């Protein structure tokens, strides 16, 4: 990550961290600094471990595809501005599928569950990803950039937008309701993503968007009518014991009932609807 992007992320994080404590959307379950510290340590370990591999392999793939003239956008011959916009839109749409797959494929879910195991939700949760999840996302990112024919600059632009947007929609920031509804037409708001962190399977397995809210609507997986105070954040069946760094990193390797139970409850919920 460049110094500029790190500085931008740090500024956005600090601003949201202060704002969400002044204007909270949901009552904080855990106001302590320990939880935030755990999330930041996991972030440092994960991004530190994967950054070099990610950068080398993904940027290497972009350069390889460019040299060989491979990818939908290159074949389309679209002007640079159009290709840039389409790159961001199509990367966002394919990332929607990746997030959906993370909830459907047991191996991916094990690692993604470490992100969902946070018992509260704020800007720090946006950075809490297991290194295994980031590592597993590398082959998918290679397929994305090669198949779509995304150039290096649009890729960096999209990654920067993703960073800012995930900090924003994981935050516990209350927006004025009219602004929230207006933004919700095009993008994912904290209110909508909060529902994605619910323990109820029908809510947990909805709202997969990152930048745009269009994809959830397109696939009939957008859930908005949930009172924020009614959301119980975490995983189905998870205990309320706080997870430190090591226990969070151990989540994918445990065999608690909630991980298998989530799928069964999901099926039962779908059948009863
Ligand atoms: Zn998720």
């Amino acid at each position: 990550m460049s110094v500029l992007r790190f500085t931008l992320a740090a500024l956005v994080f600090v601003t949201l961290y202060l704002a969400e404590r002044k204007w909270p959307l949901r009552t904080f379950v855990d106001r302590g600094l320990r939880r935030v510290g755990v999330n930041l340590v996991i972030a440092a370990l994960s991004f530190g471990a994967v950054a070099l591999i990610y950068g080398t392999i993904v940027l290497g793939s972009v350069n390889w595809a460019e040299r060989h003239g491979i990818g939908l956008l290159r074949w389309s011959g679209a002007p640079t501005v159009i290709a840039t916009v389409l790159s961001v839109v199509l990367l966002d749409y394919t990332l929607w599928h990746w997030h959906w797959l993370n909830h459907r494929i047991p191996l991916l879910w094990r690692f993604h569950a470490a992100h969902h195991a946070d018992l509260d939700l704020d800007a720090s949760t946006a950075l809490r990803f297991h290194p295994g999840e980031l590592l597993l996302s590398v082959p998918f990112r290679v397929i994305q950039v090669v198949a779509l024919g995304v150039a290096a600059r649009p890729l960096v632009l999209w990654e920067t937008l993703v960073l800012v947007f995930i900090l924003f929609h994981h935050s516990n920031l209350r927006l004025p309701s009219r602004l929230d509804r207006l933004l919700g037409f095009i993008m994912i708001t904290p209110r909508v993503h909060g529902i994605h962190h619910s323990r109820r399977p029908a809510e947990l397995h909805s709202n997969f968007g990152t930048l745009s809210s269009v994809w959830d609507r397109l696939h009939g997986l957008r859930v908005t009518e949930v009172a924020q105070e009614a959301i119980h954040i975490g995983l189905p069946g998870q205990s309320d014991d706080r997870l430190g760094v090591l226990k969070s990193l151990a989540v994918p390797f445990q065999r608690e009932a909630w991980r298998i139970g989530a799928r069964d409850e999901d099926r039962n919920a779908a059948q009863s609807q």
Side-chain angles (χ1 to χ4, degrees), residues 99 103 112 116 196:
H99 189 186
H103 281 243
H112 187 55
H116 279 272
H196 180 73

Side-chain angles (χ1 to χ4, degrees), residues 8-9 12 16 159-169 211:
L8 175 71
V12 173
L16 286 168
E159 284 174 347
T160 308
L161 286 172
V162 166
L163 193 57
V164 172
F165 275 61
I166 63 166
L167 283 167
F168 171 66
H169 68 224
L211 301 185

